[in-house]
Amino acid sequence: MNYHWDWGVFFRSTGVGHEIYLDWFFSGLAMTLGLALAGWIIALVLGTVLGVMRTLPGKVLPRIAGAYVDLFRNVPLLVQLFIWYYVIPDWLPDAIGNWLKQDISPTTNAFITVMVCLGLFTAARVCEQVRTGIQALPRGQANAGYALGLNIVQVYRHIVVPQAFRIIIPPLTSEFLNIIKNSSVASLVALPELLGQTKQLVDFSAAQFEAYTVGTLIYFVVNIALMFFMRWVEKRLRVPGLIALGGK
Amino acid sequence: MNSDNSAMIRFNQVNKWYGRDHHVLKNISLEVKQGEVVVVCGPSGSGKSTLIRTINQLEPVNDGEIWVDGVQVNHPRTNINRLREEVGFVFQHFNLYPHLSVLQNITLAPVKVRKMSQADADQRGMELLERVGLSNKRDAYPSQLSGGQQQRVAIARGLAMQPKVMLFDEPTSALDPEMIGEVLKVMQNLAESGMTMMVVTHEMGFAREVADRVVFLDHGEILEQAAPAQFFNNPQCDRAQQFLRQVLAPMHG
Ligand SMILES: Nc1ncnc2c1ncn2[C@@H]1O[C@H](COP(=O)(O)OP(=O)(O)O)[C@@H](O)[C@H]1O
Ligand SMILES: [Mg+2]
């Protein structure tokens, strides 16, 4: 195979103002990170609530959260995205459906859709991590709170959840890296995030090897950097002997 | 809901089962008066922890009544969180919060439950740390303390709510032998200050010197209740005699 490598392509003008092709990677990366972050906020908040629900006494709340997890973990992400994008808008009340389809730009529409899809998908995974973290704590931790007169909300808020989160920083970090990688499905609903921009560059310039090389490298570098950053955060928050003696 | 009885803690015909046929507490009737120190002892598995944990309802009971300072704790309309504010509990394994400093461990409940200002809670917390001899450890984390120090912090944490009663479930049995004395000393001082205390322990020296009464539990039943001198010198039932032989001279048990 004699492919003619042409790295100069990135510095050529796209024909729009002063923009060069390299700029597409930056705008794509910004979109990817924005999407991942927005989805992550949904996932973290909802996942924490669901994870706590799974550990509560009684049957109803744990079962609701369990059903949520089963549903969102057993349908492929791409299928979920297509349902959110192509099916749900028709089922929404007309006001919201029309707003999504007509009032806002297709890009905004796609962004909101993917953000919700990624957020709800990842929430199921965060839920399971939070549940695991809570269940790893000795029963005596909560009991010590109850014995002092704290109510269940205070026990979760001040004792159980803060400790559980310190335990699950490593798996939560991989979930965050996953959401960045998973956000690439957005290119299938025409959202110009990193993969979308890479594909577009290929269409415009035919420099497919160069484009995919750079796109891949950007995903890789961003994820590795985040991984090291989170390791540092974990060290800073680490409490020695967090899981100490058992005791009830 | 007030009882005309002046007892600080009162069990009236209390029964508890685990599952269908494990009868762990059998017809328990017991009173602890204001300012009294009662030691509960008995073989492992006899129900001592279960008994003491029913007082603040960390364990529910199946029937009978438990009263603390004139409030029936196992009445459905009793606000159990309010009641627990009045009842300090010290666990065998300390159960300090590992993510909070010593002082924060002590002030959490006064601030969140009693709505005390952080400054007031800190000040009270420091007084209590002084009392248990650990004022230099205010900013340490539990994992940086020895077992004996952790248990003294746990006692201070219980006292921070200004409880009417302090309950101890084998407070020294997770400790290395050389640390047992420092914890017992704090408990003795507390007893001398007039605190109503119920203590599950095998420390017979403590029972002899500090307790007003010893309760002997076996298979979920109270087999004997007596003043320490009487209990140790002249135990009535066979099971108590056997138990005492074992704890007092374990090598010849
Ligand atoms: N959560 C529980 N479920 C079932 N059985 C229990 C539970 N907790 C304790 N038991 C049983 O109840 C009995 C009394 O236990 P416990 O009160 O811990 O005894 P002690 O403190 O005197 O050693 C034991 O036989 C123990 O196995
Ligand atoms: Mg016990």
Side-chain angles (χ1 to χ4, degrees):
Chain A
M1 191 182 89
N2 50 25
Y3 182 79
H4 175 68
W5 292 87
D6 174 18
W7 297 100
V9 62
F10 300 126
F11 301 98
R12 252 168 249 144
S13 168
T14 61
V16 181
H18 292 297
E19 195 183 55
I20 56 176
Y21 284 123
L22 192 61
D23 291 327
W24 285 5
F25 284 117
F26 291 122
S27 65
L29 177 62
M31 178 76 79
T32 288
L33 292 179
L35 201 52
L37 216 56
W40 184 242
I41 291 168
I42 295 175
L44 209 54
V45 173
L46 182 61
T48 303
V49 171
L50 289 166
V52 164
M53 277 168 65
R54 290 207 77 169
T55 66
L56 290 178
K59 293 224 166 92
V60 178
L61 293 177
R63 278 195 189 154
I64 292 174
Y68 180 96
V69 171
D70 287 342
L71 180 62
F72 280 84
R73 282 217 310 197
N74 291 303
V75 177
L77 176 61
L78 207 46
V79 174
Q80 293 188 27
L81 177 62
F82 288 168
I83 292 173
W84 286 111
Y85 195 71
Y86 295 112
V87 181
I88 305 270
D90 290 334
W91 288 78
L92 290 173
D94 283 349
I96 304 176
N98 289 339
W99 177 75
L100 275 173
K101 283 183 266 188
Q102 293 158 14
D103 294 1
I104 57 177
S105 75
T107 305
T108 312
N109 176 4
F111 187 95
I112 292 174
T113 307
V114 181
M115 170 187 82
V116 168
C117 171
L118 284 174
L120 299 193
F121 174 80
T122 309
R125 309 181 60 92
V126 170
C127 163
E128 288 305 271
Q129 303 299 352
V130 169
R131 174 174 79 121
T132 309
I134 291 174
Q135 288 175 342
L137 298 174
R139 186 82 198 109
Q141 284 294 311
N143 276 343
Y146 292 126
L148 286 162
L150 274 71
N151 60 36
I152 189 166
V153 176
Q154 293 167 323
V155 164
Y156 271 87
R157 159 87 182 73
H158 300 292
I159 299 169
V160 173
V161 173
Q163 290 187 53
F165 264 99
R166 283 170 169 85
I167 298 175
I168 62 170
I169 288 175
L172 281 188
T173 301
S174 33
E175 291 307 337
F176 184 58
L177 300 188
N178 278 341
I179 208 173
I180 293 177
K181 290 177 275 183
N182 285 340
S183 71
S184 57
V185 297
S187 64
L188 291 169
V189 291
L191 195 65
E193 43 65 75
L194 187 50
L195 179 58
Q197 293 291 67
T198 306
K199 287 198 312 192
Q200 192 182 336
L201 201 154
V202 173
D203 292 344
F204 274 59
S205 69
Q208 58 204 16
F209 284 12
E210 292 85 344
Y212 278 114
T213 303
V214 171
T216 305
L217 270 176
I218 295 176
Y219 275 116
F220 182 75
V221 168
V222 166
N223 277 311
I224 288 279
L226 273 167
M227 198 174 78
F228 279 105
F229 173 70
M230 288 310 293
R231 278 196 196 151
W232 175 79
V233 170
E234 189 200 348
K235 275 214 189 85
R236 293 225 31 205
L237 289 178
R238 183 176 295 160
V239 176
L242 182 60
I243 306 189
L245 273 170
K248 41 180 206 167
Chain B
M1 288 212 305
N2 275 321
S3 79
D4 43 23
N5 197 306
S6 70
M8 187 58 101
I9 303 171
R10 189 159 66 91
F11 285 77
N12 186 14
Q13 295 289 315
V14 170
N15 282 283
K16 177 177 173 73
W17 284 263
Y18 279 121
R20 197 154 282 181
D21 38 39
H22 190 171
H23 199 173
V24 274
L25 296 179
K26 299 173 186 160
N27 274 323
I28 301 286
S29 290
L30 176 67
E31 278 190 19
V32 181
K33 294 196 192 61
Q34 158 113 43
E36 209 181 5
V37 177
V38 169
V39 159
V40 178
C41 64
S44 176
S46 58
K48 306 180 296 295
S49 297
T50 307
L51 176 77
I52 201 165
R53 291 159 73 92
T54 60
I55 298 171
N56 65 358
Q57 292 287 285
L58 285 181
E59 294 286 355
V61 297
N62 298 95
D63 66 45
E65 295 170 1
I66 301 172
W67 298 75
V68 171
D69 197 27
V71 177
Q72 188 186 343
V73 303
N74 62 330
H75 192 282
R77 278 209 296 274
T78 297
N79 180 342
I80 192 62
N81 293 325
R82 285 306 298 278
L83 183 112
R84 284 169 174 161
E85 294 175 32
E86 312 291 342
V87 179
F89 197 102
V90 175
F91 297 83
Q92 179 175 1
H93 292 291
F94 334 131
N95 297 351
L96 293 179
Y97 312 129
H99 63 302
L100 300 180
S101 72
V102 162
L103 190 59
Q104 288 168 333
N105 261 273
I106 295 173
T107 59
L108 179 68
V111 170
K112 300 301 172 191
V113 180
R114 288 246 200 261
K115 310 293 176 203
M116 201 183 268
S117 76
Q118 188 67 50
D120 289 350
D122 283 350
Q123 195 194 337
R124 246 199 88 63
M126 283 310 294
E127 287 165 18
L128 286 165
L129 279 176
E130 205 120 336
R131 193 160 151 193
V132 300
L134 289 171
S135 47
N136 57 336
K137 298 290 187 191
R138 56 172 285 170
D139 296 319
Y141 283 87
S143 61
Q144 299 165 324
L145 304 182
S146 73
Q149 291 171 329
Q150 290 189 52
Q151 194 60 299
R152 286 187 278 155
V153 172
I155 294 172
R157 178 175 69 175
L159 292 174
M161 293 298 280
Q162 300 180 288
K164 294 177 179 148
V165 179
M166 283 290 280
L167 308 175
F168 298 80
D169 187 5
E170 303 212 34
T172 58
S173 52
L175 298 178
D176 292 335
E178 72 270 21
M179 294 167 186
I180 291 175
E182 65 193 55
V183 171
L184 293 180
K185 188 82 199 125
V186 167
M187 291 167 60
Q188 180 168 13
N189 290 342
L190 189 59
E192 280 161 7
S193 77
M195 178 64 76
T196 308
M197 291 165 57
M198 192 155 152
V199 184
V200 175
T201 185
H202 288 167
E203 292 298 326
M204 292 300 137
F206 176 85
R208 240 184 237 280
E209 280 176 43
V210 182
D212 297 300
R213 189 151 38 103
V214 178
V215 170
F216 177 72
L217 201 66
D218 189 41
H219 287 104
E221 252 177 308
I222 295 181
L223 292 190
E224 200 155 335
Q225 288 197 57
Q230 196 187 333
F231 178 74
F232 288 111
N233 299 335
N234 191 15
Q236 298 298 305
C237 65
D238 294 348
R239 297 289 297 146
Q241 287 164 10
Q242 194 185 342
F243 172 77
L244 281 173
R245 273 200 300 279
Q246 278 166 2
V247 290
L248 295 177
M251 300 301 282
H252 312 289

